[in-house]
Amino acid sequence: MSGGSVLIVESDRGAVRRLTDLMSGLPLEVFIAFSRGEAIELSLQSSFDLCLVAHGLVDGNGLSLFADALHKRGRSAGVLLSRHADLRVVVEAVDAGFSHVISYPIEADQIRLILGELFPDLKCLCECVDDQDERKDLMKCDEDVPDLGAIAALSMSAIRFSLSTTDLIRVIRSVDYPFAGKERLEYFDRDTLERVVCLVRRWSQNRLAISGKMPLNAKCDAIEDCGLADLNERVRVSA
């Protein structure tokens, strides 16, 4: 029994293979279109709960495809897959109806988070089994300062699903990341704290990379949604 329908629109066959591998084992009905024309043809035959659409296609633009056909016709949720997800692209994606923007290379936890949000019944299947271990690694020291390497190695799903609000605040205050609101973190909403921790993680990765101590399992995320992109624009990440 299918838990939902997903349409992948991507001309790069390697990227398509990566996406289908990430969704393998989940009760989802997955459709694949390698071009704008194929996607339009599929949209005339079926409606989809989620569309993963590449920004650049062999025969057109993913933004206009989603705005003019997929979203307009079926009100599908959309994720734009882009190799250049700067603020301009994020704004254009939001205007076209996309709810998320993900930059290549795509990480498993990014897709799991989106699938967990859109398909609540699959949330337990989409969560990473290592999330609680990551939290233990982060909080294992007796001192008030979490290990910089553990911060750099946090996955998005651990930040979203495993760390408590207190954990998030502790991470932000543990480093000298240039964020002006550290004394008011208790008044921030959960969503904002998660975004700031994502920036702190990237900052930690940069610090460790410069020192030659980058952990092997650290995730190098790019902008994955417009909220994080907007925050990143306002709060510069210094190396």
Side-chain angles (χ1 to χ4, degrees):
M1 181 176 179
S2 174
S5 59
V6 179
L7 173 64
I8 300 172
V9 188
E10 170 61 270
S11 301
D12 185 333
R13 293 181 182 272
V16 171
R17 189 179 307 111
R18 167 68 171 162
L19 288 167
T20 53
D21 286 346
L22 292 177
M23 288 183 280
S24 64
L26 295 175
L28 294 171
E29 190 174 9
V30 180
F31 298 80
I32 299 172
F34 292 102
S35 66
R36 176 188 175 94
E38 290 180 7
I40 292 176
E41 184 176 347
L42 283 172
S43 72
L44 294 174
Q45 303 170 10
S46 306
S47 58
F48 307 99
D49 298 306
L50 173 65
C51 296
L52 304 172
V53 184
H55 192 179
L57 300 166
V58 292
D59 58 348
N61 183 290
L63 289 168
S64 59
L65 166 66
F66 187 73
D68 299 339
L70 304 177
H71 183 60
K72 184 176 182 180
R73 196 168 289 148
R75 306 305 297 176
S76 303
V79 177
L80 181 69
L81 311 175
S82 177
R83 288 173 172 79
H84 307 286
D86 56 19
L87 186 59
R88 177 185 60 81
V89 170
V90 171
V91 171
E92 291 177 351
V94 172
D95 290 343
F98 286 97
S99 59
H100 296 76
V101 177
I102 293 179
S103 286
Y104 286 101
I106 297 170
E107 292 187 13
D109 57 348
Q110 294 176 307
I111 298 299
R112 282 197 300 264
L113 285 171
I114 293 170
L115 293 176
E117 290 174 4
L118 188 59
F119 306 110
D121 291 343
L122 304 184
K123 187 173 181 179
C124 61
L125 299 176
C126 295
E127 292 180 14
C128 179
V129 295
D130 295 328
D131 288 350
Q132 290 299 329
D133 290 336
E134 290 183 32
R135 183 183 183 276
K136 291 177 183 177
D137 290 341
L138 182 69
M139 301 302 168
K140 64 184 178 183
C141 54
D142 295 329
E143 297 83 359
D144 292 333
V145 181
D147 178 72
L148 195 64
I151 295 175
L154 283 171
S155 66
M156 279 299 305
S157 52
I159 293 172
R160 293 282 177 87
F161 299 127
S162 295
L163 297 188
S164 67
T165 300
T166 300
D167 293 337
L168 295 175
I169 292 174
R170 184 183 177 200
V171 168
I172 297 168
R173 286 181 173 157
S174 69
V175 297
D176 57 346
Y177 176 76
F179 181 67
K182 285 185 178 181
E183 71 281 357
R184 301 187 304 275
L185 293 176
E186 285 79 6
Y187 300 98
F188 286 24
D189 59 54
R190 169 85 190 191
D191 188 52
T192 300
L193 290 173
E194 289 176 357
R195 294 173 185 175
V196 176
V197 169
C198 289
L199 297 178
V200 169
R201 179 188 60 167
R202 190 184 307 173
W203 176 89
S204 300
Q205 292 169 354
N206 290 341
R207 283 293 180 90
L208 291 174
I210 291 172
S211 66
K213 299 178 181 178
M214 185 69 171
L216 294 178
N217 61 335
K219 309 267 194 309
C220 295
D221 280 342
I223 299 169
E224 78 166 0
D225 61 42
C226 57
L228 177 55
D230 181 61
L231 183 60
N232 193 25
E233 188 69 16
R234 297 195 303 268
V235 184
R236 298 293 180 181
V237 181
S238 59

